[in-house]
């Protein structure tokens, strides 16, 4: 009666974990890449990201799309701040910290996805 039955993740959970992992890896890498932009080019790229993110979150139908738009807007604002000479060092540090953290989180989620997919394959 009290036997332990191994649980397998549902397909919905696997898809959710894989999507979160890949998205976090991409956004983390993008933040680390955007950190290197500076000067007027960084301000232009950051402004484009702010406009894009604001448009996506304003026209979004789902909560996930709104969150994605807000993340894009925040990345654009940080890129603009990192391009300014006065606060560039602090904003650049936070971009690096955020990019690294998102990349680690994405790696963990991809690992969970792979582990769950293997578990489903065995049963």
């Amino acid at each position: 009666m009290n036997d332990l039955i191994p649980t397998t993740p549902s397909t919905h959970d696997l898809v959710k974990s894989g999507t979160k992992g890949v998205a976090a890896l991409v956004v983390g890498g993008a933040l680390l890449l955007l950190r290197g932009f500076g000067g007027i080019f960084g301000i232009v790229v950051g402004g484009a990201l702010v406009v894009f993110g604001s448009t996506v979150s304003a026209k979004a139908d789902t909560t996930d799309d709104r969150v994605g738009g807000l993340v894009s807007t925040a990345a654009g604002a940080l890129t603009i701040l990192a391009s300014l000479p006065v606060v560039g060092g602090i904003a650049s540090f936070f971009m690096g910290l955020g990019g690294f953290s998102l990349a680690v989180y994405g790696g963990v989620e991809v690992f969970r996805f792979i582990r769950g997919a293997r578990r489903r394959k065995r049963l």
Side-chain angles (χ1 to χ4, degrees):
M1 282 277 189
N2 292 331
D3 294 337
L4 292 176
I5 300 171
T7 59
T8 58
S10 68
T11 304
H12 176 71
D13 291 339
L14 276 177
V15 168
K16 192 174 179 181
S17 179
T19 303
K20 280 183 183 178
V22 171
L25 280 172
V26 168
V27 172
L31 273 177
L32 291 174
L33 179 72
L34 288 173
R35 182 179 178 211
F37 292 143
I40 198 75
F41 186 66
I43 293 171
V44 170
V45 170
L49 276 173
V50 167
V51 169
F52 172 74
S54 300
T55 305
V56 167
S57 67
K59 294 184 178 185
D61 294 333
T62 64
T63 304
D64 292 337
D65 291 342
R66 278 189 215 105
V67 170
L70 289 174
V71 168
S72 177
T73 303
L78 274 175
T79 304
I80 291 171
L81 284 175
S83 300
L84 300 175
V86 176
V87 291
I90 296 170
S92 181
F93 169 76
F94 282 119
M95 283 180 77
L97 183 66
F100 180 74
S101 300
L102 278 170
V104 169
Y105 172 72
V108 169
E109 286 295 318
V110 167
F111 175 74
R112 285 182 185 166
F113 169 76
I114 292 170
R115 188 178 65 189
R118 284 185 180 166
R119 192 177 305 152
R120 282 181 62 101
K121 186 177 178 183
R122 277 188 270 167
L123 295 178

